Amino acid sequence: MPAKERALLTARAISKSSRSRNPGRQLRVGIDTGGTFTDCVIMRASGVEIVKVFSDSQDIARSALDGVAGLLGDRMPHAPAIIHGTTVATNTLLERRGARVALVTTAGFEDLIEIGRQNRAQLYNMEIHRDPPLVPRSLRWGVGERTLTDGTILQIPPPDDLQRLEAAIRDSGIQSVAICLLFSYANPSNEIMIARALKSTGASVSVSHEILSEFREYERLSATVINAYLAPRMSRYLFELERESRRRFTVPSTKSTRAPRLATPLYVMQSSGGVTSAKVAAREPVRTILSGPAGGVVATSWLARLLGLKKVISFDMGGTSTDVCLIDGAPGISRETSFAGLPLAISMLDIHTVGAGGGSVARIDAGGALRVGPESAGASPGPISYGRGGKHPTITDAHVLLGRLQSDLFLGGKYGLDLASVESSFRQFSSGAETASRRGPSSFRAVRELADGILRVGNATMEKALRVISVERGHDPREFSLVCFGGAGGLHAADLACSLDLAQVIVPSHPGAFSALGVLFSDIVKDSSRSALIPVPETGSTSFRRFSRVLQRRFDQLERRARAELRRDGFTLARPRVERRVDLRYRGQSFEIPLPYTPRFASAFHRAHEHAYGYADTSRPLEVVNISVRIIIPTPKPRIRRHGLHPRAHSRNAIVKTSPVWFGKRLHQTPFYQRDRLPAGVRIAGPAVVAEYSSTTVIPPEFVCRVDEYLNLILKRNSP
């Protein structure tokens, strides 16, 4: 391993600003694997400790455990519990590198996976290209069976058909099987029968009534197939991670214990904002597709509650992508998500992702226009400035060229940046840009204008993402604070706040590992749902009272099933929090709105419908489409020390250097501050740059920054 990379494993960022009063007996380590860096974080009595290592796309588990080793060293009093935000499911689906899957469905419905819906993303494109389905036609089997809409079994699968199916799947070398039968959400008996028959094949089996027990056959089929496609690879990864963690972090036995204490348990972050066991994640990997970004949203919600803010937007800019989520009291949950062109009707945090990150590659298109992303340099070779063989200019390189990232301050000064290579590459790129644009040398007169252009294009992509989750959904950005984190978030947050006229920017402590911190203290969550399709009678009537009793019984059944599954997976249900929700729509509509189940759910629905669509019809009858239960087992949360504000605090002692930095077309002599030296209450006028181990925050000339009582950086634009 090169010396620069080894240095990352030994460098630690330690902050005494955040103290855990009760860290607990078992040490917990949070891991967030990104496209460029893997972040690891722990909470000790002395504060937060983080370490960043380069992600290894060929051996993700090694990167994660290298980070853990960099944190723990030989100071491990107890075997750690590892809570992991992983990109294995994400990358497997994006790269189409999943298992060889067979699909078993009701005879006559074998091609549903390919037919899909009539929706067209490009309505007038007559030559639209569709990716092939995850299961080819040759690996789809129909079974003679039939379940009616009310759950009545009209026909069970013939034993002879099951024997032939078992033999065909065994002979085909199938790794995984997806079973999705018509109306099995109402009665799964036939699915269970087929799953038992195929158990002897040795293939991983995913059944739709466990993955998504709801109506809409195509979406249920898609979720089940995706789960089967991901399961073998996710299972192997988690098995290897757990085995290697036990090998590397086994605590020697003591006199009181004969057996060594192992690094267990292993938890995995889910897309819904809660963690689950590695066993469940291996069985249902479809629930982990937004595993990493979900940690950042959880951490943002926690910080917003701490600061007394209701309306915030999480802005997570890493090396490969940017993830944004609007939080109005609580983060939104969506079950109408599409990922990699495939519908995914699983409960997920409503996160919008765009291909803009520090490693996003710049290029000139056929028309001579400057483009940035979605292609990324990743961790290998990475940006040119990393000196790992990168050849194409990236957003990170543009910041280096403009003086915003300094070699002696990057990652605590443990990893130098190659400015000379960046300048050389940008000169070549600038010459190529002038030729491609056909506008002559006046197009890009200097490499720094090109660097500024790269940042502007990247900002435009991220600004569009922020508009999608705010303006396009009826929210006024001026009412929201932008909580920015990720390794590159602080470099762009002020510019985006200026473009959208956001109220303020909040940069939490340790922003480069903020998602890992969210993963660390996420609660254990179990989501369970089923379709109901029950008309809502008039409130106060005898029929409504009967309806309420029926709905209550169904909720109770769903909750009992969820609790039983949690116990089966080894969780202790000590005072869990239970949330019940209903998906409502006007009778005859095609789509529904999820709401908390309360006695006044009908009036809440009318208000939500008016907010979403601009009108409500209180005289129109309602229908309960789905019901869902969420069981939450709380985990320890960090207790942040509150510092006294010093009105006369000054920042002179925090200045580590002054260096020229480009802002727009002007060069400013700019002070660079070391963040951990900034006291609470201090104010900094831009232009300035605040450096820390995990990230860098840029304060443009028109902004002012103050440090609050929790040592967050609060950036606001100066009044005109």
Side-chain angles (χ1 to χ4, degrees), residues 666-690:
R666 289 187 57 192
L667 189 65
H668 296 258
Q669 288 296 323
T670 303
F672 281 71
Y673 295 87
Q674 191 66 44
R675 181 167 181 174
D676 57 10
R677 300 181 190 174
L678 292 171
V682 73
R683 297 176 68 88
I684 301 172
V689 176
V690 179

Side-chain angles (χ1 to χ4, degrees), residues 644-650 678-683 706-709 711:
L645 298 176
H646 302 286
R648 297 183 180 179
H650 59 80
L678 292 171
V682 73
R683 297 176 68 88
R706 67 178 177 86
V707 181
D708 72 2
E709 59 267 40
L711 301 186

